[in-house]
Amino acid sequence: MLIKIRKSWELPESAATPEDVYLNRRQLMKGAAGAAIAGSVLPFAETALADTERAELTAPRNTAYTLDRALTPEDLNITYNNFYEFGSQKQISDAANRELKPRPWQIQIGGMVDNPMTLDVDDLIKKMTLEERLYRHRCVEAWSMTVPWVGFPLRKLVELASPTSSAKYVRMETFGDPKMASGIGSQPWYPWPYVEGVTMEEAMNDLPFMVVGAYGKVLANPMGAPIRLHLPWKYGFKSIKSIVKFDFVAERPRSYWEEISDGREYGFWANVNPEVPHPRWSQATERVLGTGEVVPTQLFNGYADVVGGLYTGITGENLYR
Ligand code: MTE
């Protein structure tokens, strides 16, 4: 497959948005000039917090990632969500804020690795150097948003685990405890827990981002607290939320939506491509949340120059399914 290499995601900061507004707001926040970085004690609460109460979590911005459109307002981002553990509608934020207890939170890292471990999410965060990245997010439902994430590259977690040469995929799992998410019990027909996966090559690329905060604060429950993945060149369902387990495996994992759609919709790769429609709608354009503007969708969501090289040798529609 011939992939056109372009730098459309890397537009000048001037084209980027009301970032000055965002920065002013952040500068008003206590201590915003400083960064919460590896080794510091992060002021996390024990339980779910309403947005206004969430602890500050800032980090230096990685300027390699700029946007071509405005940041989605935070209020919208934390109230318009896909998080099936709390229901199949977009308005799950009340349930997620009430039911999900993101701390304490144990994470298991295992499978084909030299350093298997079980550790608290805050201990994992302390091992990492946090940064802020402005990413575009493209849902398979043809809407998009932009988010100022705080987190660390997935690659750093892979390095910590030190996979053996037999490991070919990273399989990730969301919590499956019905006591923390009423939608699990009320929708027993779905294949809980939510599972996703990437190849080792994808995991080692620079883009996959382990998110622990957004908008200068600790990650909100509806967005997948306390830790989620974001893969900005793939449809949003690949970006698994509230992860409890990372398994390094030899076999390609079968993910939640693959299992549900049984090959009738997008599958393992799910790379954004305007030319490969969903069985029921076009992917040529997307609706930008917040503005309602409809804009053309870009191959790999505009990140082709960072990830396009991952797929040389893989041909055909399968890459986008
Ligand atoms: N992760 C879990 N565990 N459960 C989910 O239902 N939904 C996915 C993805 N990760 C989902 C999930 C989908 S379809 C999308 S579009 C994004 O999360 C939505 O992320 P957002 O709510 O932060 O926009």
Side-chain angles (χ1 to χ4, degrees), residues 2 20 32 56 71 89 116 121 130-131 141 156 166 168 170 178 182 188 203 280 301 312 317-318:
L2 182 65
D20 50 337
E56 181 182 309
L71 283 169
Q89 72 286 11
V121 66
L130 297 185
E131 56 183 90
E141 298 160 343
K156 295 292 174 190
S166 310
K168 303 289 180 236
V170 188
S182 49
R280 283 179 285 129
N301 200 22
T312 43
E317 257 200 4
N318 280 343

PDB file of all heavy atoms in Angstrom, residues 2 20 32 56 71 89 116 121 130-131 141 156 166 168 170 178 182 188 203 280 301 312 317-318:
ATOM      1  N   LEU A   2       0.487   2.192  -0.817  1.00  0.00           N
ATOM      2  CA  LEU A   2       1.255   3.424  -0.880  1.00  0.00           C
ATOM      3  C   LEU A   2       0.639   4.445   0.069  1.00  0.00           C
ATOM      4  O   LEU A   2      -0.523   4.805  -0.059  1.00  0.00           O
ATOM      5  CB  LEU A   2       1.251   3.965  -2.319  1.00  0.00           C
ATOM      6  CG  LEU A   2       2.068   5.221  -2.531  1.00  0.00           C
ATOM      7  CD1 LEU A   2       3.549   4.928  -2.300  1.00  0.00           C
ATOM      8  CD2 LEU A   2       1.851   5.777  -3.920  1.00  0.00           C
ATOM      9  N   ASP A  20      -4.384  30.401  23.666  1.00  0.00           N
ATOM     10  CA  ASP A  20      -4.058  31.470  24.612  1.00  0.00           C
ATOM     11  C   ASP A  20      -5.118  31.532  25.707  1.00  0.00           C
ATOM     12  O   ASP A  20      -4.823  31.732  26.872  1.00  0.00           O
ATOM     13  CB  ASP A  20      -3.948  32.812  23.883  1.00  0.00           C
ATOM     14  CG  ASP A  20      -5.155  33.082  23.000  1.00  0.00           C
ATOM     15  OD1 ASP A  20      -5.830  32.106  22.612  1.00  0.00           O
ATOM     16  OD2 ASP A  20      -5.419  34.248  22.721  1.00  0.00           O
ATOM     17  N   ALA A  32       0.473  26.547  38.201  1.00  0.00           N
ATOM     18  CA  ALA A  32       0.430  25.981  36.854  1.00  0.00           C
ATOM     19  C   ALA A  32       1.761  26.062  36.131  1.00  0.00           C
ATOM     20  O   ALA A  32       2.008  25.315  35.199  1.00  0.00           O
ATOM     21  CB  ALA A  32      -0.640  26.667  36.031  1.00  0.00           C
ATOM     22  N   GLU A  56      -5.152  19.294  40.473  1.00  0.00           N
ATOM     23  CA  GLU A  56      -4.367  19.812  39.360  1.00  0.00           C
ATOM     24  C   GLU A  56      -3.302  18.793  38.955  1.00  0.00           C
ATOM     25  O   GLU A  56      -2.700  18.128  39.808  1.00  0.00           O
ATOM     26  CB  GLU A  56      -3.693  21.094  39.820  1.00  0.00           C
ATOM     27  CG  GLU A  56      -2.867  21.774  38.772  1.00  0.00           C
ATOM     28  CD  GLU A  56      -2.206  23.013  39.352  1.00  0.00           C
ATOM     29  OE1 GLU A  56      -2.913  23.836  39.952  1.00  0.00           O
ATOM     30  OE2 GLU A  56      -0.981  23.125  39.211  1.00  0.00           O
ATOM     31  N   LEU A  71      -9.277  23.560  20.763  1.00  0.00           N
ATOM     32  CA  LEU A  71      -9.451  22.533  21.787  1.00  0.00           C
ATOM     33  C   LEU A  71     -10.937  22.408  22.102  1.00  0.00           C
ATOM     34  O   LEU A  71     -11.647  23.409  22.182  1.00  0.00           O
ATOM     35  CB  LEU A  71      -8.713  22.922  23.066  1.00  0.00           C
ATOM     36  CG  LEU A  71      -7.194  22.740  23.053  1.00  0.00           C
ATOM     37  CD1 LEU A  71      -6.576  23.407  24.275  1.00  0.00           C
ATOM     38  CD2 LEU A  71      -6.820  21.266  23.013  1.00  0.00           C
ATOM     39  N   GLN A  89     -25.462   5.114  26.171  1.00  0.00           N
ATOM     40  CA  GLN A  89     -25.755   6.475  25.730  1.00  0.00           C
ATOM     41  C   GLN A  89     -24.546   7.378  26.022  1.00  0.00           C
ATOM     42  O   GLN A  89     -23.632   6.978  26.729  1.00  0.00           O
ATOM     43  CB  GLN A  89     -27.011   7.013  26.432  1.00  0.00           C
ATOM     44  CG  GLN A  89     -26.860   7.355  27.919  1.00  0.00           C
ATOM     45  CD  GLN A  89     -26.775   6.141  28.853  1.00  0.00           C
ATOM     46  OE1 GLN A  89     -26.628   5.011  28.411  1.00  0.00           O
ATOM     47  NE2 GLN A  89     -26.842   6.389  30.149  1.00  0.00           N
ATOM     48  N   PRO A 116       7.590  -8.826  35.256  1.00  0.00           N
ATOM     49  CA  PRO A 116       6.161  -8.748  35.589  1.00  0.00           C
ATOM     50  C   PRO A 116       5.979  -7.987  36.894  1.00  0.00           C
ATOM     51  O   PRO A 116       6.875  -8.023  37.756  1.00  0.00           O
ATOM     52  CB  PRO A 116       5.762 -10.226  35.765  1.00  0.00           C
ATOM     53  CG  PRO A 116       7.026 -10.938  36.075  1.00  0.00           C
ATOM     54  CD  PRO A 116       8.146 -10.171  35.425  1.00  0.00           C
ATOM     55  N   VAL A 121      -1.432   2.501  40.608  1.00  0.00           N
ATOM     56  CA  VAL A 121      -1.336   3.431  39.481  1.00  0.00           C
ATOM     57  C   VAL A 121      -0.443   4.632  39.810  1.00  0.00           C
ATOM     58  O   VAL A 121       0.325   5.106  38.965  1.00  0.00           O
ATOM     59  CB  VAL A 121      -2.734   3.887  38.994  1.00  0.00           C
ATOM     60  CG1 VAL A 121      -3.462   4.724  40.024  1.00  0.00           C
ATOM     61  CG2 VAL A 121      -2.627   4.651  37.684  1.00  0.00           C
ATOM     62  N   LEU A 130       5.989  12.870  33.058  1.00  0.00           N
ATOM     63  CA  LEU A 130       4.736  13.258  32.413  1.00  0.00           C
ATOM     64  C   LEU A 130       4.957  14.403  31.426  1.00  0.00           C
ATOM     65  O   LEU A 130       5.834  15.239  31.614  1.00  0.00           O
ATOM     66  CB  LEU A 130       3.708  13.670  33.466  1.00  0.00           C
ATOM     67  CG  LEU A 130       3.272  12.587  34.452  1.00  0.00           C
ATOM     68  CD1 LEU A 130       2.165  13.110  35.361  1.00  0.00           C
ATOM     69  CD2 LEU A 130       2.812  11.320  33.741  1.00  0.00           C
ATOM     70  N   GLU A 131       4.137  14.411  30.398  1.00  0.00           N
ATOM     71  CA  GLU A 131       4.149  15.503  29.428  1.00  0.00           C
ATOM     72  C   GLU A 131       2.706  15.776  29.005  1.00  0.00           C
ATOM     73  O   GLU A 131       1.826  14.945  29.227  1.00  0.00           O
ATOM     74  CB  GLU A 131       5.000  15.141  28.208  1.00  0.00           C
ATOM     75  CG  GLU A 131       4.571  13.869  27.519  1.00  0.00           C
ATOM     76  CD  GLU A 131       5.491  13.493  26.353  1.00  0.00           C
ATOM     77  OE1 GLU A 131       6.484  12.767  26.569  1.00  0.00           O
ATOM     78  OE2 GLU A 131       5.184  13.921  25.231  1.00  0.00           O
ATOM     79  N   GLU A 141     -17.966   6.899  15.140  1.00  0.00           N
ATOM     80  CA  GLU A 141     -19.302   7.427  14.852  1.00  0.00           C
ATOM     81  C   GLU A 141     -19.248   8.741  14.074  1.00  0.00           C
ATOM     82  O   GLU A 141     -20.276   9.412  13.934  1.00  0.00           O
ATOM     83  CB  GLU A 141     -20.065   7.653  16.166  1.00  0.00           C
ATOM     84  CG  GLU A 141     -20.291   6.377  16.950  1.00  0.00           C
ATOM     85  CD  GLU A 141     -20.603   6.629  18.426  1.00  0.00           C
ATOM     86  OE1 GLU A 141     -20.342   7.746  18.931  1.00  0.00           O
ATOM     87  OE2 GLU A 141     -21.077   5.707  19.082  1.00  0.00           O
ATOM     88  N   LYS A 156       7.158   3.727  27.121  1.00  0.00           N
ATOM     89  CA  LYS A 156       7.874   3.733  28.405  1.00  0.00           C
ATOM     90  C   LYS A 156       7.397   2.589  29.303  1.00  0.00           C
ATOM     91  O   LYS A 156       8.165   2.017  30.060  1.00  0.00           O
ATOM     92  CB  LYS A 156       7.693   5.085  29.116  1.00  0.00           C
ATOM     93  CG  LYS A 156       8.317   6.232  28.362  1.00  0.00           C
ATOM     94  CD  LYS A 156       9.829   6.093  28.383  1.00  0.00           C
ATOM     95  CE  LYS A 156      10.497   7.136  27.516  1.00  0.00           C
ATOM     96  NZ  LYS A 156      11.943   6.904  27.321  1.00  0.00           N
ATOM     97  N   SER A 166       9.268 -13.228  22.279  1.00  0.00           N
ATOM     98  CA  SER A 166       8.035 -13.953  21.914  1.00  0.00           C
ATOM     99  C   SER A 166       6.809 -13.051  21.935  1.00  0.00           C
ATOM    100  O   SER A 166       5.780 -13.372  21.331  1.00  0.00           O
ATOM    101  CB  SER A 166       7.773 -15.103  22.892  1.00  0.00           C
ATOM    102  OG  SER A 166       8.911 -15.875  23.046  1.00  0.00           O
ATOM    103  N   LYS A 168       4.304 -10.437  20.881  1.00  0.00           N
ATOM    104  CA  LYS A 168       3.994  -9.789  19.599  1.00  0.00           C
ATOM    105  C   LYS A 168       2.905  -8.720  19.726  1.00  0.00           C
ATOM    106  O   LYS A 168       2.739  -7.887  18.845  1.00  0.00           O
ATOM    107  CB  LYS A 168       3.511 -10.832  18.569  1.00  0.00           C
ATOM    108  CG  LYS A 168       4.508 -11.963  18.323  1.00  0.00           C
ATOM    109  CD  LYS A 168       5.740 -11.486  17.560  1.00  0.00           C
ATOM    110  CE  LYS A 168       6.731 -12.608  17.324  1.00  0.00           C
ATOM    111  NZ  LYS A 168       8.056 -12.307  17.853  1.00  0.00           N
ATOM    112  N   VAL A 170       0.429  -6.207  22.695  1.00  0.00           N
ATOM    113  CA  VAL A 170       0.081  -5.798  24.052  1.00  0.00           C
ATOM    114  C   VAL A 170      -1.440  -5.853  24.142  1.00  0.00           C
ATOM    115  O   VAL A 170      -2.146  -5.184  23.372  1.00  0.00           O
ATOM    116  CB  VAL A 170       0.547  -4.374  24.388  1.00  0.00           C
ATOM    117  CG1 VAL A 170       0.335  -4.089  25.884  1.00  0.00           C
ATOM    118  CG2 VAL A 170       1.994  -4.149  24.003  1.00  0.00           C
ATOM    119  N   PRO A 178     -18.721  -5.138  38.385  1.00  0.00           N
ATOM    120  CA  PRO A 178     -20.055  -4.528  38.255  1.00  0.00           C
ATOM    121  C   PRO A 178     -20.394  -3.597  39.411  1.00  0.00           C
ATOM    122  O   PRO A 178     -21.264  -2.736  39.274  1.00  0.00           O
ATOM    123  CB  PRO A 178     -21.005  -5.732  38.211  1.00  0.00           C
ATOM    124  CG  PRO A 178     -20.233  -6.897  38.694  1.00  0.00           C
ATOM    125  CD  PRO A 178     -18.776  -6.594  38.560  1.00  0.00           C
ATOM    126  N   SER A 182     -22.501   0.310  36.835  1.00  0.00           N
ATOM    127  CA  SER A 182     -23.816  -0.346  36.776  1.00  0.00           C
ATOM    128  C   SER A 182     -24.134  -0.908  35.386  1.00  0.00           C
ATOM    129  O   SER A 182     -24.914  -1.847  35.261  1.00  0.00           O
ATOM    130  CB  SER A 182     -24.905   0.627  37.208  1.00  0.00           C
ATOM    131  OG  SER A 182     -24.746   1.857  36.526  1.00  0.00           O
ATOM    132  N   PRO A 188     -25.730  -7.489  30.323  1.00  0.00           N
ATOM    133  CA  PRO A 188     -24.960  -8.735  30.396  1.00  0.00           C
ATOM    134  C   PRO A 188     -24.627  -9.327  29.025  1.00  0.00           C
ATOM    135  O   PRO A 188     -23.783 -10.216  28.924  1.00  0.00           O
ATOM    136  CB  PRO A 188     -25.879  -9.675  31.199  1.00  0.00           C
ATOM    137  CG  PRO A 188     -27.246  -9.118  31.035  1.00  0.00           C
ATOM    138  CD  PRO A 188     -27.102  -7.642  30.858  1.00  0.00           C
ATOM    139  N   ALA A 203       2.964  -0.319  19.644  1.00  0.00           N
ATOM    140  CA  ALA A 203       3.183   0.117  21.035  1.00  0.00           C
ATOM    141  C   ALA A 203       4.485   0.910  21.166  1.00  0.00           C
ATOM    142  O   ALA A 203       4.583   1.813  22.006  1.00  0.00           O
ATOM    143  CB  ALA A 203       3.219  -1.095  21.958  1.00  0.00           C
ATOM    144  N   ARG A 280     -22.624   1.292   7.738  1.00  0.00           N
ATOM    145  CA  ARG A 280     -23.858   2.087   7.741  1.00  0.00           C
ATOM    146  C   ARG A 280     -23.658   3.584   7.519  1.00  0.00           C
ATOM    147  O   ARG A 280     -24.624   4.319   7.433  1.00  0.00           O
ATOM    148  CB  ARG A 280     -24.639   1.834   9.029  1.00  0.00           C
ATOM    149  CG  ARG A 280     -25.368   0.488   8.989  1.00  0.00           C
ATOM    150  CD  ARG A 280     -26.141   0.180  10.249  1.00  0.00           C
ATOM    151  NE  ARG A 280     -25.246  -0.210  11.334  1.00  0.00           N
ATOM    152  CZ  ARG A 280     -25.253   0.321  12.540  1.00  0.00           C
ATOM    153  NH1 ARG A 280     -26.089   1.290  12.821  1.00  0.00           N
ATOM    154  NH2 ARG A 280     -24.419  -0.102  13.471  1.00  0.00           N
ATOM    155  N   ASN A 301      -6.092   9.868  10.569  1.00  0.00           N
ATOM    156  CA  ASN A 301      -6.504  11.045  11.343  1.00  0.00           C
ATOM    157  C   ASN A 301      -5.463  12.163  11.282  1.00  0.00           C
ATOM    158  O   ASN A 301      -5.339  12.968  12.197  1.00  0.00           O
ATOM    159  CB  ASN A 301      -6.790  10.644  12.802  1.00  0.00           C
ATOM    160  CG  ASN A 301      -7.661  11.650  13.528  1.00  0.00           C
ATOM    161  OD1 ASN A 301      -8.387  12.433  12.909  1.00  0.00           O
ATOM    162  ND2 ASN A 301      -7.586  11.657  14.839  1.00  0.00           N
ATOM    163  N   THR A 312       3.815  -0.644   6.278  1.00  0.00           N
ATOM    164  CA  THR A 312       4.340  -1.047   4.985  1.00  0.00           C
ATOM    165  C   THR A 312       4.366  -2.575   4.955  1.00  0.00           C
ATOM    166  O   THR A 312       4.740  -3.222   5.935  1.00  0.00           O
ATOM    167  CB  THR A 312       5.752  -0.489   4.739  1.00  0.00           C
ATOM    168  OG1 THR A 312       6.497  -0.641   5.934  1.00  0.00           O
ATOM    169  CG2 THR A 312       5.738   0.970   4.345  1.00  0.00           C
ATOM    170  N   GLU A 317      -7.705  -3.603   2.444  1.00  0.00           N
ATOM    171  CA  GLU A 317      -8.642  -2.962   3.361  1.00  0.00           C
ATOM    172  C   GLU A 317      -8.474  -3.416   4.799  1.00  0.00           C
ATOM    173  O   GLU A 317      -8.850  -2.729   5.723  1.00  0.00           O
ATOM    174  CB  GLU A 317     -10.075  -3.272   2.921  1.00  0.00           C
ATOM    175  CG  GLU A 317     -10.717  -2.126   2.220  1.00  0.00           C
ATOM    176  CD  GLU A 317     -12.231  -2.226   2.213  1.00  0.00           C
ATOM    177  OE1 GLU A 317     -12.789  -3.148   2.814  1.00  0.00           O
ATOM    178  OE2 GLU A 317     -12.836  -1.362   1.582  1.00  0.00           O
ATOM    179  N   ASN A 318      -7.905  -4.599   4.968  1.00  0.00           N
ATOM    180  CA  ASN A 318      -7.769  -5.143   6.318  1.00  0.00           C
ATOM    181  C   ASN A 318      -7.114  -4.178   7.281  1.00  0.00           C
ATOM    182  O   ASN A 318      -7.416  -4.151   8.460  1.00  0.00           O
ATOM    183  CB  ASN A 318      -6.927  -6.426   6.281  1.00  0.00           C
ATOM    184  CG  ASN A 318      -7.779  -7.588   5.833  1.00  0.00           C
ATOM    185  OD1 ASN A 318      -8.992  -7.481   5.876  1.00  0.00           O
ATOM    186  ND2 ASN A 318      -7.147  -8.654   5.408  1.00  0.00           N
TER     187      ASN A 318
END
